[in-house]
Amino acid sequence: MADVLPLVEARLRTALGEPDARAAVTFLGTDRIEVLRFTDGDVVRYATLGMSAQPMADPTAVLADPVKGPRAELVLSVRHGLADTDKVLRPLAVLAASPQVEGVIVAPGASLDVGGPLWPGAPFTSVLVAESGGLVEDLELDAPADPVRFLPLLPMTANEAAWKRVHGAQALQERWLTHGTDLRDPVRKSVPLD
């Protein structure tokens, strides 16, 4: 099968425009992960490029299928200029490398924790993985390969992450919606959880 990354980058450019910055991170024993930055007015979007090069494999499988299996890239959208969000590049690359490093399958509803603030002073150390198909349309690949999904990441405070573990992703998203939470605000406070 042809290299999927040029197709993935073309889909990102079609949906988000030309990237105004890019950075690459390579972790020992993994493929290179790039993070592209797209600026659209007061919103900046960071998209990974490289996570979808290989399908995510079930960690209990004896052999990883080189073609079949879910593929994804991650997209984070935040308001520009309110915090030093460009420092999110390395944490995003860590999350994108987690299927190769830890054998996890990143899917909607999952929580991903980076073990520290997403950027300096951020009230968030984890993200909720949302459903694909909104901002960037899924990229169909030749059969039998699964499509590449572009999964939005929604930053969570520690309290929100703990509440989500008890009540579930859907309940947290409904609470955000009920309270009109601006999930793109890089300095927002936790949604009321009582």
Side-chain angles (χ1 to χ4, degrees):
M1 191 169 106
D3 184 8
V4 302
L5 296 184
L7 303 173
V8 170
E9 185 169 354
R11 177 57 54 95
L12 286 168
R13 288 171 184 264
T14 299
L16 304 175
E18 286 299 311
D20 58 7
R22 67 193 307 145
V25 179
T26 305
F27 302 99
L28 188 62
T30 67
D31 295 329
R32 171 183 158 127
I33 302 287
E34 288 189 86
V35 179
L36 282 58
R37 184 182 72 188
F38 301 87
T39 305
D40 180 18
D42 70 336
V43 174
V44 61
R45 293 187 172 89
Y46 302 94
T48 63
L49 179 63
M51 183 178 170
S52 62
Q54 303 294 326
M56 292 180 269
D58 182 342
T60 62
V62 177
L63 288 174
D65 190 311
V67 178
K68 291 183 187 175
R71 294 177 190 254
E73 296 291 353
L74 308 174
V75 180
L76 174 70
S77 299
V78 291
R79 297 223 177 277
H80 185 61
L82 301 175
D84 188 10
T85 56
D86 279 350
K87 297 285 194 305
V88 78
L89 301 178
R90 186 165 180 79
L92 267 184
V94 168
L95 295 178
S98 63
Q100 288 182 59
V101 175
E102 299 171 28
V104 297
I105 294 179
V106 177
S111 299
L112 303 175
D113 195 299
V114 296
L118 287 173
W119 51 81
F124 319 106
T125 60
S126 62
V127 293
L128 175 65
V129 181
E131 291 287 340
S132 67
L135 187 62
V136 184
E137 198 176 308
D138 293 349
L139 174 64
E140 295 296 330
L141 300 175
D142 294 337
D146 290 18
V148 176
R149 304 198 184 287
F150 298 88
L151 301 171
L153 300 180
L154 309 175
M156 292 188 292
T157 65
N159 287 343
E160 290 169 341
W163 196 86
K164 182 253 177 197
R165 280 192 291 279
V166 174
H167 300 281
Q170 186 64 38
L172 178 58
Q173 289 178 305
E174 287 171 9
R175 187 159 287 262
W176 281 335
L177 193 59
T178 301
H179 289 274
T181 306
D182 180 3
L183 297 174
R184 293 178 178 170
D185 182 349
V187 295
R188 73 173 177 83
K189 303 285 186 235
S190 184
V191 71
L193 298 169
D194 46 0

